[in-house]
Amino acid sequence: MRIAVLSTNRSLYSTSRLVEAGKERGHEMLVINHKHCYMNITSHKPSIHLKGEEIKGVDAIIPRIGASISFYGTAVVRQFEMMGVYSVNESVAITRSRDKLRALQLLSRKGIGLPVTGFANSPSDTADLLKITGGAPVVIKLLEGTQGVGVVLAETKKAASSVIEAFRGLKANFMVQEFISEAGGSDIRCFVVGGKVVAAMQRTGAEGDFRSNLHRGGTAKLVRITPEERSTAVRSAKVMGLNVAGVDLLRSNHGPVVMEVNSSPGLEGIESATKKNVAGMIIEFIEKNARQGRTRTRGSG
Ligand code: ADP
């Protein structure tokens, strides 16, 4: 097959591993920088161009769309879909999971365990917002943040009110979430491919940080997950309509709760913590499922 990885940088670990794994399995692999693609969107001749040439003959794409370029990146994925090219994660599914509020609302509707969460933009009643989420300590998150930036733990009601006031001043969307202290600064990343958890790791934050992001100095190790965690991860990916997803869970006293479902989960942390060939599993999934024109929306709204 001719498989394209949509990525802005071919030397990124995840991109180069996917290329390597595809070649190992006998495929022709190319990296397309979606940022530089331009398109003819007219329906009788949808096409994608790059550096003066039309992109042709691609059987499947693996979108690796960074959060900062979601809008344009998903438009490029959609264009491939219009051309009948199979995308391992569909544009609608990527968009669904990228919008954190929409994603949590959809997960909640399907009965997936979530930390008690309140959303707000400019609440007129900070005290009541805190009350409906169970009161301090709470975690307050800026919606636009990634990799733990804009995620604040407010241990007292006073601290929480000041952070909310500050976020309000920024005119940003944010959420106020029950602090799962029993998670002990760790979370679980379940890597889902084709409806199965193929690898899972536990990430623990640097000393003194409740955030376990690897980019913030956290460490990762292989973890055995419970059947409940496994089914929560699989169901979450399904609700989003994602074939490839990184589902982040916290171990709470009331079972696994989902923080986020990531549509372009990184491969470096998970492959080194679990020693599994996750890139190879993604390619294998494509081999079994890619068909011309086979894209449909399987998520839940
Ligand atoms: P980002 O998407 O920016 O990484 P997250 O929502 O994943 O932000 O939060 C970053 C980290 O903070 C998580 O990996 C987790 O370790 C910790 N964390 C986030 N929300 C909570 C919570 N409600 N209770 C306890 N820890 C949390």
Side-chain angles (χ1 to χ4, degrees):
M1 291 175 77
R2 198 155 181 260
I3 305 173
V5 182
L6 300 193
S7 168
T8 54
N9 184 350
R10 61 174 63 239
S11 60
L12 290 175
Y13 179 94
S14 302
T15 308
S16 63
R17 277 287 299 128
L18 286 163
V19 168
E20 185 182 57
K23 283 185 180 163
E24 261 167 28
R25 297 184 64 87
H27 302 293
E28 187 189 338
M29 300 299 294
L30 52 156
V31 177
I32 294 176
N33 186 338
H34 44 278
K35 224 152 102 177
H36 296 157
C37 289
Y38 45 97
M39 310 173 271
N40 177 351
I41 61 154
T42 13
S43 65
H44 63 279
K45 199 183 174 293
S47 60
I48 304 184
H49 303 255
L50 183 66
K51 293 186 183 150
E53 282 188 32
E54 187 174 342
I55 298 173
K56 279 187 180 153
V58 174
D59 299 304
I61 55 167
I62 306 176
R64 304 281 319 171
I65 311 290
S68 60
I69 180 167
S70 290
F71 180 71
Y72 194 71
T74 48
V76 175
V77 175
R78 202 155 46 238
Q79 185 75 359
F80 274 108
E81 290 165 359
M82 281 170 61
M83 290 158 50
V85 177
Y86 176 80
S87 179
V88 70
N89 276 340
E90 290 181 15
S91 56
V92 269
I94 300 171
T95 308
R96 216 184 258 129
S97 65
R98 276 293 152 81
D99 179 339
K100 291 191 191 183
L101 298 188
R102 179 179 178 191
L104 291 180
Q105 285 171 321
L106 294 172
L107 293 170
S108 163
R109 188 171 74 185
K110 292 288 168 182
I112 308 266
L114 302 173
V116 177
T117 304
F119 299 160
N121 177 276
S122 58
S124 51
D125 194 337
T126 305
D128 194 42
L129 173 65
L130 275 170
K131 206 167 98 198
I132 63 166
T133 50
V138 285
V139 176
I140 305 170
K141 302 182 186 183
L142 266 184
L143 240 53
E144 286 71 25
T146 55
Q147 298 172 354
V149 177
V151 179
V152 181
L153 169 61
E155 289 177 282
T156 63
K157 192 173 160 193
K158 226 169 163 179
S161 306
S162 343
V163 175
I164 292 173
E165 301 286 307
F167 281 2
R168 244 165 86 173
L170 290 173
K171 301 200 187 324
N173 293 307
F174 60 92
M175 56 187 160
V176 180
Q177 208 163 58
E178 159 196 21
F179 175 52
I180 310 292
S181 64
E182 61 271 27
S186 292
D187 74 353
I188 312 263
R189 158 62 62 93
C190 297
F191 205 107
V192 180
V193 179
K196 289 196 189 86
V197 177
V198 297
M201 64 175 169
Q202 181 167 42
R203 298 178 296 198
T204 304
E207 188 65 39
D209 199 335
F210 78 101
R211 294 164 300 181
S212 55
N213 304 71
L214 299 182
H215 287 98
R216 309 194 55 83
T219 50
K221 64 169 203 265
L222 180 81
V223 70
R224 266 187 83 87
I225 55 168
T226 65
E228 195 188 3
E229 288 163 351
R230 190 171 291 276
S231 92
T232 301
V234 168
R235 283 167 56 222
S236 303
K238 190 162 176 238
V239 172
M240 292 297 122
L242 292 168
N243 291 314
V244 172
V247 181
D248 295 341
L249 307 172
L250 291 172
R251 286 184 163 162
S252 85
N253 290 337
H254 45 99
V257 288
V258 174
M259 272 185 312
E260 200 178 5
V261 183
N262 198 316
S263 59
S264 290
L267 293 175
E268 188 168 12
I270 197 86
E271 287 196 338
S272 46
T274 64
K275 307 278 179 282
K276 286 191 178 164
N277 179 5
V278 178
M281 297 187 222
I282 296 174
I283 303 291
E284 219 181 312
F285 176 82
I286 294 173
E287 288 165 10
K288 290 194 183 123
N289 292 279
R291 303 271 185 289
Q292 242 256 316
R294 183 161 162 179
T295 84
R296 60 198 151 131
T297 308
R298 268 182 247 88
S300 329

